[in-house]
Every structure is written in C-alpha cells, then in structure tokens.
Amino acid sequence: MRVAVLASGNGSNLQALLDAAREPSSPAVIALVVSNKATAGALARAAAAGVPTAVIAEDGQDAARLLALLAEHAIELVVLAGYLKKVPDDVVRSFRGRMLNVHPALLPAFGGAGMYGRRVHEAVLKSGAHVSGATVHLVDEQYDHGAIVAQWPVPVRSDDTAETLAARVLAVEHRLLPAVVLAFARFGAAPRADAAAAPGDPSVPLPHSLDDALAGR
Ligand code: GRF
C-alpha cells in the first residue's frame, strides 16, 4: 500500500514509519512526504530515506495541489504525523476512511482545535488524570474528531512535567502508528464508505497486541 505522510515538525513519527516499512517485504511503502514547512525535520528524514518530498502552501489550504500530488504518486493511504494545518475538506472527502492522524492523548479527551504539542500534556496534568496515551483515528472535517482506530494507555506519574509525559506518550506513538499503518496495509484500508466506521467498531481487525502487530502475527 502506497502511503503519503504529512508532517510539519521534527518527524520522529515519520521516522518510525520509515523504519517499520523499510523491509522490502513490507506491505506499506512510504511513497511521499509532504510538509507545510520547508524547514521541517521530516523533509530531511524523508530525503535521507530516498523518499520524494514536497512543500505545500504554509496555510495548507492548497487542496488542488495536494490532491494532484497524491494522485501523481498513486497514494492509497494518507497519514498525518504531526501535521499542524487543517487538511482541506476536498482532500478529506477524497480520502475518507483512508486518512489517519496520530494524537498524543486519549481522544475524545484533550483534543480539538489548538490542542497540540505541549498544550495537550499540560491539560492532561492540570486535569489530574492518572492515565494518558496515544490515539490513531480516521480524519474527518473536524480536528481530532474522526472514528478512533487504536489507542494505547500511558501512565501519568505524580512528578511528571509536560516534557516527561510527552516523551512517554511519544514513545508509544512510535509503536502504535506503524502498527496501525501496517494493519491497514495488510488488511486493506477502511472501505470508502461515506459514513465513517461506527465508533468502537474499527473497520480493520486490530492486532491483539503491539508486539503481535510489529511481529506481523
Ligand atoms: C506528536 O506528538 C504527534 O502526536 C503530534 O505531533 C507530534 C509530532 O512529533 N500530532 P514528530 O514530528 O513526529 O516528532
């Protein structure tokens, strides 16, 4: 399955995907990396892996250019890995059921417009929650709102700072996102039904455990 990754920042999630898809036998191929920032670390990681890259308008609203790029590279699955811009609705509609996002909290809590990066973990700490985690979900026309595909819990420690919690969640993101992308590639992305999969009814069989998924069991 040909995958495009959209990223705005450092690209550690992209790197996890590149590493997981590196084997020639991998069912997923990272075929394109797109950023809204010419200086994004993700672009350098893609270039180092020999993956084609592109930069779209800073506002990310260049729907026609983005759709043309995805078509030109025969993309079947789009993954938002730290992409901070709103994906134009035309693109969301064209990839309904085939666009994933990773969020560093257990949605629907601690998500939505403006909830990204450090702000998410500060809100979790302020709430007194004892558990946070990572979420991979299908993308729809609202931030962090589409059907949840997979989540993985992370304990919150009493001495956590936003940085220590972020690091613990990020380590789980690096395992959860590749597991879901490989599952989509192995079992086929969600059917292009107009209605998103019912919440709690993932459209693809999920691995019994992250280790099973990463071992391809
Ligand atoms: C991750 O925490 C992800 O959950 C959020 O943005 C961050 C991206 O980090 N959407 P990186 O650029 O993949 O290192």
Side-chain angles (χ1 to χ4, degrees):
M1 181 174 280
R2 294 179 59 80
V3 178
V5 178
L6 276 56
S8 304
N10 168 37
S12 70
N13 273 294
L14 165 67
Q15 191 63 55
L17 289 169
L18 290 167
D19 296 346
R22 186 180 38 232
E23 296 304 319
S25 59
S26 168
V29 174
I30 310 301
L32 173 67
V33 172
V34 180
S35 182
N36 60 305
K37 281 187 178 304
T39 58
L43 293 174
R45 292 177 189 267
V51 173
T53 62
V55 179
I56 53 171
E58 175 60 32
D59 65 1
Q61 284 307 312
D62 191 349
R65 171 110 195 284
L66 185 50
L67 279 171
L69 269 172
L70 296 172
E72 185 186 322
H73 291 270
I75 297 304
E76 300 165 88
L77 179 68
V78 178
V79 177
L80 310 185
Y83 186 65
L84 296 182
K85 293 299 172 188
K86 188 95 173 37
V87 178
D89 287 355
D90 288 355
V91 184
V92 172
R93 275 192 289 275
S94 175
F95 280 85
R96 179 131 9 239
R98 302 185 298 146
M99 185 180 289
L100 295 167
N101 180 47
V102 60
H103 183 75
L106 293 179
L107 293 177
F110 307 111
M115 285 300 278
Y116 58 86
R118 179 189 178 82
R119 298 176 184 181
V120 175
H121 307 293
E122 284 171 343
V124 169
L125 293 175
K126 188 172 179 212
S127 76
H130 291 264
V131 178
S132 187
T135 300
V136 178
H137 65 94
L138 290 172
V139 173
D140 65 12
E141 288 82 355
Q142 297 176 53
Y143 276 117
D144 303 331
H145 178 263
I148 290 170
V149 173
Q151 297 187 297
W152 205 264
V154 166
V156 179
R157 294 167 47 111
S158 56
D159 59 351
D160 262 330
T161 62
E163 287 73 24
T164 57
L165 179 56
R168 194 173 309 122
V169 173
L170 191 60
V172 165
E173 293 175 49
H174 291 165
R175 298 187 63 198
L176 189 67
L177 185 59
V180 172
V181 170
L182 288 177
F184 265 61
R186 275 200 189 92
F187 303 114
R192 292 192 54 178
D194 284 328
D201 172 19
S203 51
V204 290
L206 288 178
H208 299 296
S209 77
L210 273 180
D211 295 322
D212 286 351
L214 296 181
R217 282 189 288 271

